[in-house]
């Protein structure tokens, strides 16, 4: 890697330390829900535009998405490309309990730092603003649109607690909404004339519990009742619930989701009701591992004193999974606190604005910038990462 590029990037981050932490804390104090991240996305897009990036905002028909690009003047038509993905949506009630304020800011400033150094390389840095990770997953639409297809490495860091690791494995996820319909009637005077949609849904919930016995390892299934229309003296004619299925690979997810649909059909028929279903979110793919890129991240993290734990089982889901089937992609997890906190909690949200959180933010941005520059300047490394990606794709 060009020593001068490295020095420029890290000089920039050193100068921006206070600005960086203030930006993250501002997002924490002003959380915006998925698809409503208007101020968060605007602030990021303005920072990138002011730093000389070419910015499309809104992007791809998504009002809170953006694409920012900065290339070296020395670039030829065929140039190396690194994409850094930024998240910034918050959770209902608990704000940034997943740490998007922190690692979104980390991605932003890592991209800005590489942008400062891009003149010393022959490549292109992209910062992609990816809203709604907690719900509909903008990266799914972006991956489907092919915007990552020419990228040598797409990556982001995610906030974590208690440990750091590069070998993140995500579960694929489907989200279906089931609507059971029946017939109203008087609950006391003529119950035999009614068909309870609620009974169909409750039987379905029991069926899901029985189906869990037959799930593969690491699969998950969870449901919530959304609506029951009626009253205690009226047979309910409408009941709605949502079910999420998760699995460690695509084929397994398809099978589990199909089993859930069959379960709904059977339970509806058993109590003489009808059922229909639709997706309430885009499907997230499981993570396609890229060991060469993960090793790069692990070694670079170690250079900054971050020692990774290894051999992690699949947990949670992310729309980065969809990106990983279009180009080499990774999502290392970076501890922002030494405490063993659970994500999606108020305690974790507070940790992102702590002194430890601020230190992790600055260090993480430096590591991310370093990874990006290594990929941009090392052809052999890019070839190793690409070869593994092609091997994994061809084996599917």
């Amino acid at each position: 890697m060009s020593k001068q590029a490295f020095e420029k990037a890290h000089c920039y981050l050193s100068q921006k330390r206070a600005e960086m932490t203030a930006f993250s804390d501002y997002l924490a104090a002003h959380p915006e829900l998925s698809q409503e991240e208007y101020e968060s996305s605007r602030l990021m897009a303005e920072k990138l535009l002011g730093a000389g990036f070419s910015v499309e905002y809104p992007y791809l028909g998504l009002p809170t998405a953006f694409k920012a690009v900065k290339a070296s003047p020395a670039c030829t038509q065929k140039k190396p490309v690194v994409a850094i993905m930024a998240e910034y949506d918050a959770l209902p009630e608990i704000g940034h309990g997943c740490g998007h304020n922190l690692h979104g800011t980390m991605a932003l400033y890592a991209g800005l730092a590489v942008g400062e150094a891009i003149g010393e390389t022959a490549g292109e840095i992209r910062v992609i603003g990816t809203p709604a990770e907690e719900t509909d997953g903008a990266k799914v639409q972006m991956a489907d649109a092919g915007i990552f297809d020419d990228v040598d490495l797409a990556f982001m860091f995610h906030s974590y607690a208690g440990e750091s690791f590069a070998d993140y494995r995500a579960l694929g996820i489907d989200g279906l909404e089931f609507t059971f319909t029946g017939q109203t009637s008087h609950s006391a005077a003529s119950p035999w004339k009614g068909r309870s949609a609620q009974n169909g849904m409750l039987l379905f919930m029991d069926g899901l519990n029985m189906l869990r016995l037959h799930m593969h390892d690491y699969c998950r299934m969870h449901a919530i009742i959304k609506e029951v229309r009626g009253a205690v003296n009226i047979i309910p004619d409408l009941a709605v619930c949502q079910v999420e299925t998760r699995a460690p690979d695509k084929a397994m997810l398809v099978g589990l989701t199909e089993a859930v649909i069959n379960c709904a059909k059977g339970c509806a028929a058993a109590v003489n009701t009808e059922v229909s279903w639709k997706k309430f979110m885009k499907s997230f793919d499981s993570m396609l591992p890229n060991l060469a890129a993960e090793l790069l991240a692990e070694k670079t993290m170690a250079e900054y004193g971050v020692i990774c734990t290894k051999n992690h089982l699949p947990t949670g889901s992310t729309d980065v999974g969809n990106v990983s089937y279009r180009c080499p992609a990774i999502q290392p997890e970076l501890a922002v606190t030494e405490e063993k906190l659970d994500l999606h909690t108020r305690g974790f949200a507070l940790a992102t604005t702590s002194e430890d959180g601020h230190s992790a933010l600055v260090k993480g941005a430096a590591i991310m910038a370093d990874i990006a520059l290594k990929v941009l300047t090392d052809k052999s490394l890019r070839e190793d990462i690409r070869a593994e990606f092609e091997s994994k794709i061809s084996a599917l």
Side-chain angles (χ1 to χ4, degrees):
M1 182 175 68
S2 164
K3 184 178 179 181
Q4 193 171 357
F6 175 90
E7 289 173 349
K8 277 193 173 183
H10 288 280
C11 180
Y12 175 87
L13 290 172
S14 178
Q15 293 171 354
K16 298 293 183 179
R17 180 186 179 101
E19 179 182 303
M20 204 185 316
T21 56
F23 193 97
S24 176
D25 287 356
Y26 183 86
L27 296 186
H30 301 84
E32 295 176 298
L33 299 180
S34 297
Q35 300 177 336
E36 299 176 10
E37 317 96 324
Y38 295 103
E39 186 177 19
S40 303
S41 59
R42 177 184 61 80
L43 290 171
M44 289 190 174
E46 287 177 353
K47 287 277 186 190
L48 290 156
L49 188 63
F53 281 72
S54 172
V55 179
E56 294 179 63
Y57 173 67
Y59 180 59
L60 212 63
L62 300 168
T64 58
F66 62 81
K67 177 185 177 183
V69 179
K70 196 171 185 182
S72 165
C75 275
T76 60
Q77 191 171 7
K78 176 63 177 174
K79 57 186 178 295
V81 180
V82 169
I84 293 176
M85 297 171 285
E87 297 177 339
Y88 33 83
D89 59 324
L91 295 159
E93 305 299 328
I94 60 174
H96 279 289
C98 205
H100 292 193
N101 62 304
L102 194 146
H103 64 252
T105 301
M106 190 186 299
L108 170 66
Y109 278 85
L112 288 167
V114 176
E116 286 293 305
I118 199 71
E120 307 302 321
T121 73
E124 177 178 298
I125 182 68
R126 298 176 188 170
V127 181
I128 312 295
T130 63
E133 190 276 336
E134 298 293 354
T135 56
D136 209 32
K139 298 184 198 70
V140 178
Q141 182 177 334
M142 291 175 173
D144 289 345
I147 73 165
F148 294 102
D149 289 1
D150 65 338
V151 173
D152 292 285
L153 177 66
F155 76 108
M156 56 171 279
F157 275 19
H158 197 288
S159 305
Y160 206 69
E163 61 178 329
S164 300
F165 50 96
D167 59 342
Y168 175 67
R169 301 289 178 265
L171 299 167
I173 181 171
D174 276 335
L176 295 177
E177 182 170 283
F178 292 87
T179 300
F180 290 80
T181 53
Q183 175 61 52
T184 59
S185 186
H186 195 292
S187 297
S190 54
W192 53 87
K193 293 183 179 179
R195 293 181 291 116
S196 174
Q198 177 177 254
N199 281 352
M201 183 184 65
L202 292 177
L203 188 60
F204 177 46
M205 292 292 178
D206 286 341
L208 292 180
N209 287 335
M210 294 178 186
L211 187 58
R212 285 189 177 91
L213 175 65
H214 307 289
M215 293 194 310
H216 284 277
D217 290 344
Y218 314 122
C219 287
R220 297 290 185 269
M221 185 164 55
H222 28 105
I224 187 172
I225 296 170
K226 278 195 70 182
E227 178 187 0
V228 175
R229 185 170 68 194
V232 70
N233 59 348
I234 302 172
I235 300 294
D237 68 341
L238 181 104
V240 182
C241 64
Q242 290 183 338
V243 181
E244 288 183 345
T245 53
R246 304 190 195 224
D249 67 53
K250 282 187 174 185
M252 206 175 287
L253 181 62
V254 168
L256 180 58
T257 301
E258 185 177 298
V260 168
I261 291 171
N262 288 336
C263 182
K265 291 178 182 177
C267 293
V271 293
N272 197 26
T273 57
E274 289 79 44
V275 65
S276 61
W277 56 92
K278 63 180 182 181
K279 284 190 172 185
F280 68 85
M281 60 176 287
K282 295 182 178 70
S283 296
F284 288 14
D285 287 336
S286 56
M287 199 80 178
L288 189 67
N290 191 295
L291 302 185
E294 289 173 4
L295 181 60
L296 166 65
E298 184 178 320
K299 286 183 175 179
T300 307
M301 292 164 82
E303 290 170 10
Y304 290 83
V306 179
I307 305 304
C308 291
T309 56
K310 297 183 180 182
N311 301 319
H312 291 86
L313 302 176
T315 58
S317 302
T318 174
D319 51 359
V320 176
N322 298 68
V323 179
S324 73
Y325 287 83
R326 304 304 293 254
C327 75
I330 57 171
Q331 182 186 291
E333 304 289 308
L334 180 68
V336 304
T337 174
E338 293 183 0
E339 291 186 72
K340 287 281 189 179
L341 299 174
D342 290 324
L343 275 65
H344 287 209
T345 61
R346 289 183 176 84
F348 190 80
L350 289 173
T352 68
T353 59
S354 68
E355 186 176 337
D356 285 347
H358 291 162
S359 295
L361 167 62
V362 175
K363 183 178 292 187
I367 296 169
M368 290 183 71
D370 198 341
I371 290 170
L373 287 169
K374 285 176 178 175
V375 173
L376 288 171
T377 57
D378 189 334
K379 182 180 178 182
S380 177
L381 177 59
R382 291 195 302 273
E383 290 174 346
D384 288 346
I385 291 171
R386 174 59 61 174
E388 179 157 359
F389 171 72
E390 297 292 349
S391 174
K392 289 281 188 358
I393 290 295
S394 62
L396 294 177

